[in-house]
Amino acid sequence: MVACSPSRRIVIAAGLRLPQARAGGAFAKEDAGHLGARAARELLARTAIPGDQLDEVIVGCVGPPHDQANVARVIALRAGVPRGVPAYTVGRNCASGMQAVTSAVTRIEAGIGDLYLCVGVEVMSGYPLIFNQAATDFFARLAGARTSMAKLAAMASFRPKMLSPRIALMEGLTDPTNGLIMGKTAENLARDFGIGREEADRYAVRSHKRAAAARDSGRMAREIVPHLGLGSRPGKLALTADDGTRDDQSLEALGRLRPYFEKPDGVVTVGNACGITDGATALVITTEERAQELGLEPLAVIRGFAWSGCDPSRMGLGPVHATSQLLERTGVSVGDLGAVEINEAFAVQVLACEKAFASREFAAKHLGRSEALGELDPRLLNPNGGAIAIGHPVGATGARLLLTSAHELHVRHCELTLATLCIGGGQGGAVLLERPSA
């Protein structure tokens, strides 16, 4: 938990993101190294920052390709950053992009450099199918066979069930400590807080309507750079906006969907949960003084951040735990916030966070507070929609939330915004941003 030093203000000096595309769609042939480099290269070009002045490149990614183990280095070199500038990859599940930024903040606070390029990236389209153990053993036997008879014996051991793959995405979304896939932890919250199907679906409709309005008004164009996906067909146009937003989404349409994780009477469906998505966001993190030297007008001052653990079976409440610590350290109250971004992993998860924020009982039992954190104004919560409508490319989302929150400072002419999200495994992250003119 860090409240940044007021004597050396650390800022998001610049940032941009690519449109977020539904997995298997516009960016299906991308890889994290290429998609991340596209965002990084564009940001360096727009800011005219010489690559050799960077102290380091830090990238958040949950599932980098097997041949890009340190995908940060791949991104840095592909973006034209000189070889002498180091790069490393961080992972904190859904908060990996946010972790990249807070890692840079920590290094600046420690006096280790003052100019960092931070990227959050994920190509969920590229998550592989994996050979099961029986198939792995079969291929090992076959590779180890040295005689014709041994090879025939190995071949004879083949069974059709060996072709049944393990699905990396599903296994990655399942907590190994309790065996719960993330959607089932959301069902726990629906029961804990008495959240019904219609309430969740209404929230999902709101997310789509707000995202569509933000797109149509030009609000999202403030942060998005169009991108033509790698391997696109000739004549294909660049994607200019997040393509998961459904303009015609309705309560009636959502009501026809069946529960996905708990059948037949669960609350979570594919319609009131976030989409599986590809995307990338790039940010420049530096000091206010260095930004001025570079001729950059900062988007936001990073006032402080916090990380917190919570019950893995209720991982969706991570934002409440992290925000509680952050507000306590910075002396800020919920009423001071001009906008709040809570990642929409699931509608019931955001609704549960709303209820927990406003609950004195929850505060006393779980946060060590005598009073509730405070009620979140629905008008200020995810005012441009969220992951239900625009997707959740897990490694990129934390950085995307920060970029969106930074722009809200200027759109709403407010002094403070909050970006926060839940993290698989039972954690929460929160960052408080301040308008530079404040």
Side-chain angles (χ1 to χ4, degrees):
M1 177 170 55
V2 172
C4 297
S5 170
S7 61
R8 195 182 195 204
R9 306 212 316 167
I10 299 172
V11 301
I12 299 175
L16 55 79
R17 70 177 178 93
L18 305 183
Q20 298 187 158
R22 287 174 287 185
F27 300 163
K29 295 184 179 180
E30 284 283 359
D31 64 71
H34 183 269
L35 199 67
R38 165 74 169 94
R41 185 168 54 249
E42 183 71 23
L43 184 58
L44 290 175
R46 292 188 176 206
T47 57
I49 294 175
D52 59 1
Q53 291 192 23
L54 293 170
D55 290 298
E56 205 153 24
V57 177
I58 309 175
V59 175
C61 186
V62 177
H66 70 278
D67 55 354
Q68 298 176 8
N70 182 14
V71 71
R73 181 63 169 170
V74 177
I75 288 171
L77 295 178
R78 287 184 176 177
V81 176
R83 297 175 184 174
V85 177
Y88 70 97
T89 307
V90 297
R92 198 193 280 257
N93 283 355
C94 304
S96 296
M98 184 177 284
Q99 178 65 62
V101 171
T102 63
S103 293
V105 171
T106 300
R107 294 177 79 77
I108 294 172
E109 288 277 1
I112 308 172
D114 63 2
L115 182 61
Y116 290 82
L117 174 61
C118 296
V119 177
V121 63
E122 205 70 46
V123 179
M124 300 184 81
S125 294
Y127 281 18
L129 299 177
I130 306 169
F131 282 124
N132 58 39
Q133 190 60 51
T136 301
D137 293 342
F138 166 76
F139 286 117
R141 286 193 301 272
L142 189 60
R146 292 291 177 263
T147 67
S148 296
M149 289 301 294
K151 289 179 180 179
L152 284 172
M155 289 295 294
S157 71
F158 175 79
R159 299 290 183 272
K161 67 179 182 181
M162 294 176 182
L163 298 178
S164 177
R166 294 166 54 192
I167 303 172
L169 176 62
M170 298 301 286
E171 293 190 8
L173 293 175
T174 300
D175 188 333
T177 67
N178 59 25
L180 293 178
I181 194 168
M182 298 298 99
K184 289 198 172 183
T185 70
E187 292 285 4
N188 285 342
L189 296 182
R191 283 188 288 271
D192 291 347
F193 290 88
I195 301 167
R197 172 67 181 273
E198 184 174 337
E199 187 179 1
D201 285 351
R202 285 190 185 281
Y203 183 90
V205 171
R206 187 178 85 180
S207 183
H208 282 279
K209 289 188 179 303
R210 288 184 175 184
R215 178 201 62 208
D216 294 345
S217 70
R219 164 63 183 85
M220 285 296 103
R222 296 172 68 104
E223 57 191 62
I224 291 178
V225 175
H227 178 61
L228 182 64
L230 191 66
S232 295
R233 301 188 311 272
K236 183 76 171 178
L237 299 177
L239 190 64
T240 59
D242 307 312
D243 68 3
T245 305
R246 296 180 181 273
D247 293 31
D248 59 349
Q249 189 60 278
S250 68
L251 194 60
E252 293 72 26
L254 288 177
R256 290 192 290 270
L257 298 175
R258 296 182 178 181
Y260 190 84
F261 298 100
E262 290 190 1
K263 302 172 183 178
D265 54 359
V267 175
V268 180
T269 71
V270 295
N272 59 38
C274 64
I276 299 169
T277 319
D278 307 325
T281 297
L283 303 166
V284 173
I285 308 300
T286 186
T287 63
E288 204 167 38
E289 296 79 11
R290 188 68 188 279
Q292 186 174 7
E293 292 172 8
L294 293 166
L296 300 175
E297 191 171 325
L299 289 172
V301 175
I302 299 175
R303 178 81 169 267
F305 66 86
W307 299 104
S308 179
C310 64
D311 180 355
S313 68
R314 270 79 178 165
M315 67 92 196
L317 295 174
V320 189
H321 292 267
T323 300
S324 176
Q325 293 187 19
L326 178 60
L327 297 184
E328 182 177 356
R329 177 61 67 93
T330 57
V332 170
S333 69
V334 168
D336 297 326
L337 302 173
V340 176
E341 292 287 331
I342 297 180
N343 185 45
E344 296 173 353
F346 306 94
V348 295
Q349 166 258 322
V350 180
L351 292 167
C353 285
E354 277 192 274
K355 295 175 187 293
F357 263 85
S359 171
R360 183 176 182 179
E361 179 183 355
F362 185 91
K365 184 175 181 180
H366 299 285
L367 306 178
R369 288 172 168 262
S370 59
E371 299 293 336
L373 277 178
E375 291 190 16
L376 296 173
D377 186 336
R379 296 170 301 174
L380 305 180
L381 175 60
N382 297 345
N384 305 295
I388 290 172
I390 68 175
H392 176 23
V394 285
T397 291
R400 198 279 300 170
L401 290 169
L402 290 172
L403 180 61
T404 299
S405 292
H407 278 291
E408 283 303 292
L409 290 166
H410 304 275
V411 170
R412 295 180 173 273
H413 305 288
C414 59
E415 303 304 323
L416 297 169
T417 56
L418 173 72
T420 181
L421 74 172
C422 62
I423 305 167
Q427 296 187 80
V431 177
L432 184 66
L433 299 181
E434 179 180 292
R435 193 150 58 101
S437 60

